[in-house]
Tab-separated table of all heavy atoms in Angstrom:
chain	number	residue	atom	x	y	z
B	72	ILE	N	-162.561	192.604	93.758
B	72	ILE	CA	-161.874	191.320	93.554
B	72	ILE	C	-162.307	190.430	94.730
B	72	ILE	O	-162.295	190.927	95.878
B	72	ILE	CB	-160.387	191.482	93.438
B	72	ILE	CG1	-160.046	192.332	92.265
B	72	ILE	CG2	-159.709	190.043	93.310
B	72	ILE	CD1	-158.509	192.724	92.155
B	73	LEU	N	-162.570	189.149	94.472
B	73	LEU	CA	-162.731	188.184	95.564
B	73	LEU	C	-161.559	187.260	95.574
B	73	LEU	O	-161.126	186.823	94.514
B	73	LEU	CB	-164.036	187.426	95.487
B	73	LEU	CG	-165.349	188.131	95.553
B	73	LEU	CD1	-166.539	187.137	95.408
B	73	LEU	CD2	-165.479	188.916	96.896
B	74	VAL	N	-161.020	186.941	96.737
B	74	VAL	CA	-160.003	185.914	96.852
B	74	VAL	C	-160.729	184.764	97.596
B	74	VAL	O	-161.239	184.946	98.677
B	74	VAL	CB	-158.761	186.371	97.613
B	74	VAL	CG1	-157.728	185.285	97.710
B	74	VAL	CG2	-158.185	187.621	96.976
B	75	THR	N	-160.825	183.569	96.944
B	75	THR	CA	-161.757	182.574	97.446
B	75	THR	C	-161.104	181.278	97.816
B	75	THR	O	-160.049	180.873	97.234
B	75	THR	CB	-162.867	182.304	96.434
B	75	THR	OG1	-162.232	181.852	95.161
B	75	THR	CG2	-163.668	183.460	96.154
B	76	GLY	N	-161.728	180.519	98.699
B	76	GLY	CA	-161.312	179.196	99.115
B	76	GLY	C	-161.608	178.208	98.039
B	76	GLY	O	-162.217	178.476	96.972
B	77	PRO	N	-161.140	176.947	98.223
B	77	PRO	CA	-161.264	175.900	97.187
B	77	PRO	C	-162.704	175.682	96.816
B	77	PRO	O	-163.605	175.669	97.653
B	77	PRO	CB	-160.705	174.628	97.852
B	77	PRO	CG	-159.846	175.137	98.982
B	77	PRO	CD	-160.425	176.447	99.420
B	78	ASN	N	-162.934	175.395	95.506
B	78	ASN	CA	-164.227	174.996	94.993
B	78	ASN	C	-165.316	176.046	95.118
B	78	ASN	O	-166.507	175.708	95.355
B	78	ASN	CB	-164.699	173.645	95.669
B	78	ASN	CG	-165.600	172.838	94.762
B	78	ASN	OD1	-165.611	172.888	93.565
B	78	ASN	ND2	-166.359	171.975	95.479
B	79	PHE	N	-164.938	177.284	95.009
B	79	PHE	CA	-165.915	178.358	95.054
B	79	PHE	C	-166.848	178.265	93.857
B	79	PHE	O	-166.436	177.901	92.731
B	79	PHE	CB	-165.208	179.736	95.031
B	79	PHE	CG	-166.136	180.910	95.190
B	79	PHE	CD1	-166.478	181.355	96.473
B	79	PHE	CD2	-166.632	181.543	94.090
B	79	PHE	CE1	-167.346	182.460	96.616
B	79	PHE	CE2	-167.483	182.620	94.150
B	79	PHE	CZ	-167.851	183.102	95.476
B	80	GLY	N	-168.170	178.490	94.091
B	80	GLY	CA	-169.167	178.404	93.012
B	80	GLY	C	-169.524	176.988	92.622
B	80	GLY	O	-169.994	176.780	91.477
B	81	CYS	N	-169.289	176.055	93.495
B	81	CYS	CA	-169.755	174.694	93.154
B	81	CYS	C	-171.271	174.658	93.259
B	81	CYS	O	-171.895	175.586	93.750
B	81	CYS	CB	-169.120	173.649	94.130
B	81	CYS	SG	-169.566	173.887	95.866
B	82	GLY	N	-171.867	173.614	92.783
B	82	GLY	CA	-173.326	173.451	92.860
B	82	GLY	C	-174.053	173.807	91.560
B	82	GLY	O	-173.600	173.386	90.493
B	83	SER	N	-175.068	174.619	91.672
B	83	SER	CA	-175.972	174.751	90.562
B	83	SER	C	-175.457	175.543	89.361
B	83	SER	O	-174.464	176.203	89.509
B	83	SER	CB	-177.291	175.331	91.027
B	83	SER	OG	-177.224	176.796	91.000
B	84	SER	N	-176.235	175.516	88.268
B	84	SER	CA	-175.815	176.188	87.044
B	84	SER	C	-176.291	177.601	87.028
B	84	SER	O	-176.051	178.351	86.069
B	84	SER	CB	-176.364	175.436	85.837
B	84	SER	OG	-177.779	175.438	85.976
B	85	ARG	N	-176.968	178.052	88.088
B	85	ARG	CA	-177.676	179.347	88.081
B	85	ARG	C	-176.675	180.505	87.672
B	85	ARG	O	-175.760	180.794	88.434
B	85	ARG	CB	-178.314	179.654	89.389
B	85	ARG	CG	-177.445	179.624	90.541
B	85	ARG	CD	-178.174	179.820	91.857
B	85	ARG	NE	-179.000	178.621	92.156
B	85	ARG	CZ	-179.538	178.400	93.351
B	85	ARG	NH1	-179.466	179.284	94.348
B	85	ARG	NH2	-180.222	177.259	93.549
B	86	GLU	N	-176.863	181.077	86.584
B	86	GLU	CA	-175.992	182.238	86.152
B	86	GLU	C	-176.268	183.478	87.064
B	86	GLU	O	-175.455	184.320	87.136
B	86	GLU	CB	-176.195	182.555	84.691
B	86	GLU	CG	-175.085	183.308	84.070
B	86	GLU	CD	-175.045	183.165	82.541
B	86	GLU	OE1	-175.269	181.946	82.069
B	86	GLU	OE2	-174.848	184.161	81.822
B	87	GLY	N	-177.402	183.438	87.749
B	87	GLY	CA	-177.734	184.478	88.649
B	87	GLY	C	-176.654	184.635	89.707
B	87	GLY	O	-176.518	185.781	90.302
B	88	ALA	N	-175.924	183.632	90.050
B	88	ALA	CA	-174.826	183.725	91.004
B	88	ALA	C	-173.806	184.731	90.454
B	88	ALA	O	-173.337	185.614	91.242
B	88	ALA	CB	-174.164	182.356	91.274
B	89	VAL	N	-173.493	184.617	89.208
B	89	VAL	CA	-172.553	185.533	88.580
B	89	VAL	C	-173.110	186.951	88.491
B	89	VAL	O	-172.485	187.913	88.772
B	89	VAL	CB	-172.042	185.046	87.201
B	89	VAL	CG1	-171.100	186.003	86.539
B	89	VAL	CG2	-171.322	183.684	87.352
B	90	TRP	N	-174.424	186.988	88.059
B	90	TRP	CA	-175.076	188.279	87.911
B	90	TRP	C	-175.060	189.041	89.281
B	90	TRP	O	-174.800	190.211	89.348
B	90	TRP	CB	-176.536	188.147	87.512
B	90	TRP	CG	-176.694	187.500	86.150
B	90	TRP	CD1	-175.742	187.378	85.172
B	90	TRP	CD2	-177.898	186.839	85.672
B	90	TRP	NE1	-176.237	186.733	84.110
B	90	TRP	CE2	-177.549	186.370	84.340
B	90	TRP	CE3	-179.153	186.580	86.163
B	90	TRP	CZ2	-178.525	185.673	83.547
B	90	TRP	CZ3	-180.044	185.919	85.347
B	90	TRP	CH2	-179.797	185.496	84.111
B	91	SER	N	-175.284	188.285	90.371
B	91	SER	CA	-175.365	189.007	91.663
B	91	SER	C	-174.015	189.549	92.069
B	91	SER	O	-173.874	190.598	92.623
B	91	SER	CB	-175.936	188.027	92.700
B	91	SER	OG	-174.976	187.120	93.086
B	92	LEU	N	-172.958	188.775	91.776
B	92	LEU	CA	-171.575	189.237	92.084
B	92	LEU	C	-171.253	190.487	91.195
B	92	LEU	O	-170.664	191.505	91.710
B	92	LEU	CB	-170.524	188.169	91.843
B	92	LEU	CG	-170.718	186.931	92.736
B	92	LEU	CD1	-169.661	185.894	92.402
B	92	LEU	CD2	-170.615	187.313	94.227
B	93	GLN	N	-171.596	190.364	89.974
B	93	GLN	CA	-171.376	191.505	88.972
B	93	GLN	C	-172.117	192.767	89.516
B	93	GLN	O	-171.479	193.846	89.567
B	93	GLN	CB	-171.958	191.047	87.726
B	93	GLN	CG	-171.625	191.965	86.526
B	93	GLN	CD	-172.237	191.420	85.247
B	93	GLN	OE1	-173.436	190.964	85.321
B	93	GLN	NE2	-171.580	191.468	84.163
B	94	GLU	N	-173.345	192.572	89.906
B	94	GLU	CA	-174.107	193.716	90.366
B	94	GLU	C	-173.607	194.302	91.707
B	94	GLU	O	-173.826	195.385	92.072
B	94	GLU	CB	-175.586	193.355	90.471
B	94	GLU	CG	-176.222	193.154	89.077
B	94	GLU	CD	-177.639	192.681	89.141
B	94	GLU	OE1	-178.341	192.873	90.152
B	94	GLU	OE2	-178.083	192.167	88.089
B	95	LEU	N	-172.855	193.399	92.447
B	95	LEU	CA	-172.216	193.876	93.687
B	95	LEU	C	-170.944	194.607	93.377
B	95	LEU	O	-170.361	195.232	94.252
B	95	LEU	CB	-171.858	192.590	94.479
B	95	LEU	CG	-171.489	192.675	95.903
B	95	LEU	CD1	-172.560	193.316	96.796
B	95	LEU	CD2	-171.124	191.291	96.510
B	96	GLY	N	-170.488	194.560	92.118
B	96	GLY	CA	-169.291	195.266	91.702
B	96	GLY	C	-168.029	194.391	91.596
B	96	GLY	O	-166.944	194.889	91.436
B	97	ILE	N	-168.252	193.067	91.675
B	97	ILE	CA	-167.076	192.199	91.549
B	97	ILE	C	-166.669	192.020	90.039
B	97	ILE	O	-167.538	191.768	89.207
B	97	ILE	CB	-167.404	190.778	92.106
B	97	ILE	CG1	-167.793	190.942	93.638
B	97	ILE	CG2	-166.206	189.813	91.965
B	97	ILE	CD1	-166.779	191.556	94.511
B	98	ARG	N	-165.398	192.114	89.764
B	98	ARG	CA	-164.922	191.982	88.408
B	98	ARG	C	-163.983	190.845	88.159
B	98	ARG	O	-163.716	190.374	87.050
B	98	ARG	CB	-164.323	193.327	87.906
B	98	ARG	CG	-165.326	194.458	88.040
B	98	ARG	CD	-164.933	195.731	87.310
B	98	ARG	NE	-164.607	195.408	85.909
B	98	ARG	CZ	-163.731	196.048	85.216
B	98	ARG	NH1	-163.064	197.031	85.680
B	98	ARG	NH2	-163.490	195.687	83.902
B	99	ALA	N	-163.370	190.399	89.198
B	99	ALA	CA	-162.470	189.236	89.094
B	99	ALA	C	-162.539	188.408	90.405
B	99	ALA	O	-162.783	188.929	91.490
B	99	ALA	CB	-161.009	189.738	88.855
B	100	ILE	N	-162.221	187.116	90.230
B	100	ILE	CA	-162.275	186.203	91.336
B	100	ILE	C	-161.011	185.349	91.239
B	100	ILE	O	-160.785	184.712	90.221
B	100	ILE	CB	-163.469	185.330	91.374
B	100	ILE	CG1	-164.791	186.141	91.161
B	100	ILE	CG2	-163.591	184.480	92.665
B	100	ILE	CD1	-166.037	185.333	91.090
Side-chain angles (χ1 to χ4, degrees):
Chain B
I72 298 172
L73 295 180
V74 180
T75 58
N78 207 23
F79 184 87
C81 62
S83 86
S84 61
R85 59 184 71 167
E86 200 158 316
V89 176
W90 299 339
S91 74
L92 296 178
Q93 188 182 42
E94 291 176 21
L95 191 64
I97 302 301
R98 301 194 53 210
I100 312 177

